[in-house]
């Protein structure tokens, strides 16, 4: 097998590198900058050009090498190239080829184009390693246009009532999409430090997002009232949020599609907006690629791999240490101002 599943992560023995390892290794190829896929402690990191500033933000200085999509690099005769995964900025699938055998490791992916992350590219291969975060039939997303419209309507209505809209979204990925969507309303947007830090890095990297102001103690509360605040989920029900009274809260996450998840969280609204493929997106992708074998990782891997096998697609379940939450809050501090 060109890629092995080891206790450190997905390993290419011939090329002597790991893909998104969860324990420190010599050489790591990183699909994207989320903390469960990009971990500290590796000696070398290979990633996409747009991922590089985000890795610097989260992991500090390291030996980084970055490449654009579709550019081939070699490791000990193994051909490596990155291809858009459509999940977050810079997110990439890793294509690995040696002696005529082709593997693609998806990392996390989203099939609908959000016009920020790059359009997902189905890449032909013999072996496809897929995520399955939302690999249940109950997860089927409305179109992005409809999703954004609901958020905009909610914010606009709050604004007209002098109520601040606090939107909880993962600081890297979801927040950028929400900022772009609510930016169309022309209202001032304020952000928690975790979100503001990401926006700052992206602005320095040449991205053009609507202006976002960092929430600090100096900003008079009447400036924020009736406007928009973007914060990571870890700020939910915290004193940090309560300062914005009168406010309403909304969680932006694929998990919000299920009513039980919505009720468990003490929030006024829930918008099922996800950076992952839904059930149909996963299936369509696999049918399009039609690999010899599918390896199903983090998410509903047993349900999804069983379904694939019953549909005549050769699939196996693989245990990994990637998170299945959309909001892995480890790097998101709420005790900032
Ligand atoms: Zn991710
Ligand atoms: Zn993941």
């Amino acid at each position: 097998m060109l890629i092995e599943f080891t206790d450190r992560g997905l390993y290419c023995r011939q090329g002597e590198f790991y893909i998104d390892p969860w324990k420190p290794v010599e050489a790591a190829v990183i699909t994207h900058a989320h903390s469960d896929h990009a971990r500290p402690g590796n000696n070398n990191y290979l990633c996409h050009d747009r991922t590089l500033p985000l890795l610097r933000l989260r992991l500090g200085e390291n030996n980084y090498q970055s490449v654009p999509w579709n550019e081939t690099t070699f490791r000990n005769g193994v051909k490596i190239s990155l291809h858009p995964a459509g999940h977050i900025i810079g997110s990439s699938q890793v294509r690995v080829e040696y002696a005529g055998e082709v593997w693609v490791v998806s990392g996390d992916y989203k099939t609908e184009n959000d016009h920020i992350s790059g359009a997902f590219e189905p890449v032909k291969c013999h072996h496809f390693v897929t995520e399955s975060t939302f690999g249940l039939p109950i997860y089927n997303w409305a179109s992005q246009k409809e999703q954004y419209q609901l958020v905009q309507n909610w914010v606009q209505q709050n604004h007209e009532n002098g109520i601040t809209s606090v939107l909880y979204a993962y600081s890297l990925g979801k927040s950028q999409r929400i900022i772009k969507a609510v930016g169309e309303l022309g209202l001032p947007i304020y952000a928690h430090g975790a979100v503001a830090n990401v926006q700052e890095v992206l602005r320095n990297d040449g991205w053009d997002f609507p202006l976002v102001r960092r929430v600090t103690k100096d900003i008079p509360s009447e400036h924020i009232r009736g406007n928009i605040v973007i914060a990571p989920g870890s700020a939910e029900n915290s004193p940090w949020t309560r300062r914005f009274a009168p406010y309403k809260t909304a969680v932006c996450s694929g998990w919000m599609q299920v009513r039980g998840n919505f009720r468990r969280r003490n929030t006024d609204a829930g918008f099922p907006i996800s950076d992952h493929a839904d059930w149909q997106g996963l299936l369509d992708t696999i049918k399009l690629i039609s690999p010899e074998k599918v390896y199903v990782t983090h998410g509903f891997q047993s349900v999804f791999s069983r379904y694939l096998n019953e549909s005549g697609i050769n699939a196996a379940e693989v245990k990994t240490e990637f998170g299945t939450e959309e909001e892995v809050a480890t790097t998101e501090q709420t005790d900032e101002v």
Side-chain angles (χ1 to χ4, degrees):
M1 296 234 295
L2 185 53
I3 304 279
E4 297 165 36
F5 301 96
T6 74
D7 61 353
R8 294 188 169 267
L10 280 61
Y11 181 48
C12 177
R13 189 172 296 277
Q14 174 64 31
E16 294 180 336
F17 61 86
Y18 288 79
I19 299 170
D20 294 352
W22 45 84
K23 284 182 184 161
V25 300
E26 175 61 30
V29 179
I30 300 296
T31 60
H32 65 291
H34 278 156
S35 53
D36 54 328
H37 289 263
R39 299 186 194 233
N42 302 305
N43 275 341
N44 295 288
Y45 292 80
L46 175 69
C47 65
H48 183 259
D49 292 336
R50 291 297 203 179
T51 298
L52 179 58
L54 299 165
L55 287 189
R56 281 214 173 92
L57 168 70
R58 302 203 139 181
L59 304 178
E61 260 324 313
N62 283 293
N63 289 323
Y64 294 119
Q65 185 197 343
S66 77
V67 287
W69 284 314
N70 288 291
E71 189 176 287
T72 301
T73 53
F74 284 91
R75 293 274 166 91
N76 204 22
V78 177
K79 211 169 161 180
I80 307 169
S81 55
L82 304 183
H83 303 266
H87 171 58
I88 63 166
I89 283 176
S91 65
S92 303
Q93 305 171 79
V94 182
R95 182 187 185 278
V96 179
E97 180 181 348
Y98 184 73
E101 185 178 335
V102 179
W103 284 67
V104 170
V105 177
S106 74
D108 292 339
Y109 63 101
K110 171 165 89 269
T111 46
E112 188 174 11
N113 187 355
D114 65 13
H115 303 286
I116 302 173
S117 311
F120 175 81
E121 182 191 329
V123 181
K124 284 277 174 200
C125 56
H126 304 106
H127 301 268
F128 183 55
V129 182
T130 183
E131 60 133 324
S132 60
T133 308
F134 290 104
L136 285 184
I138 48 167
Y139 293 107
N140 55 353
W141 315 138
S143 76
Q144 185 170 250
K145 193 164 173 261
E146 291 168 275
Q147 295 169 4
Y148 288 178
Q149 189 70 56
L150 290 174
V151 177
Q152 289 167 343
N153 292 348
W154 184 78
V155 168
Q156 186 64 37
Q157 198 183 2
N158 289 340
H159 173 71
E160 281 160 18
N161 295 326
I163 290 167
T164 302
S165 298
V166 180
L167 289 152
Y168 296 120
Y170 189 40
S171 64
L172 176 55
K174 198 69 54 66
S175 283
Q176 284 72 56
R177 296 174 63 199
I178 300 298
I179 287 166
K180 208 176 144 201
V182 298
E184 291 174 16
L185 297 170
L187 299 171
I189 305 171
Y190 292 86
H192 182 279
V195 177
N197 290 345
V198 173
Q199 290 309 114
E200 208 172 282
V201 166
L202 294 175
R203 200 172 41 249
N204 292 336
D205 196 36
W207 289 92
D208 182 25
F209 277 100
L211 178 70
V212 167
R213 298 172 176 88
R214 184 185 294 264
V215 172
T216 62
K217 289 196 176 74
D218 317 327
I219 296 177
S221 57
E222 60 268 26
H223 286 194
I224 302 179
R225 184 166 306 162
N227 295 319
I228 301 159
V229 175
I230 316 277
S234 51
E236 252 181 283
N237 307 316
S238 72
W240 187 91
T241 296
R242 286 193 281 275
R243 79 176 77 181
F244 302 115
Y247 64 89
K248 282 192 173 175
T249 61
V251 174
C252 304
S253 162
W255 303 115
M256 293 298 103
Q257 182 139 11
V258 176
R259 286 207 75 76
N261 290 341
F262 177 75
R263 270 199 307 266
R264 258 196 300 282
R265 294 172 75 157
N266 186 17
T267 178
D268 300 306
F271 298 110
I273 300 176
S274 176
D275 286 335
H276 294 263
D278 63 4
W279 170 258
Q280 201 56 48
L282 294 169
L283 283 179
D284 290 348
T285 300
I286 289 162
K287 282 180 188 153
L288 200 61
I289 299 173
S290 75
E292 284 167 16
K293 186 153 185 183
V294 179
Y295 301 88
V296 184
T297 67
H298 60 312
F300 296 102
Q301 65 262 30
S302 71
V303 176
F304 192 57
S305 57
R306 198 179 329 126
Y307 182 85
L308 290 176
N309 280 315
E310 284 165 5
S311 318
I313 298 164
N314 188 10
E317 182 185 341
V318 176
K319 295 252 179 323
T320 58
E321 292 186 19
F322 305 127
T324 52
E325 293 291 320
E326 279 208 303
E327 300 141 57
V328 183
T330 48
T331 57
E332 315 231 317
Q333 302 299 321
T334 50
D335 50 7
E336 301 172 44
V337 284

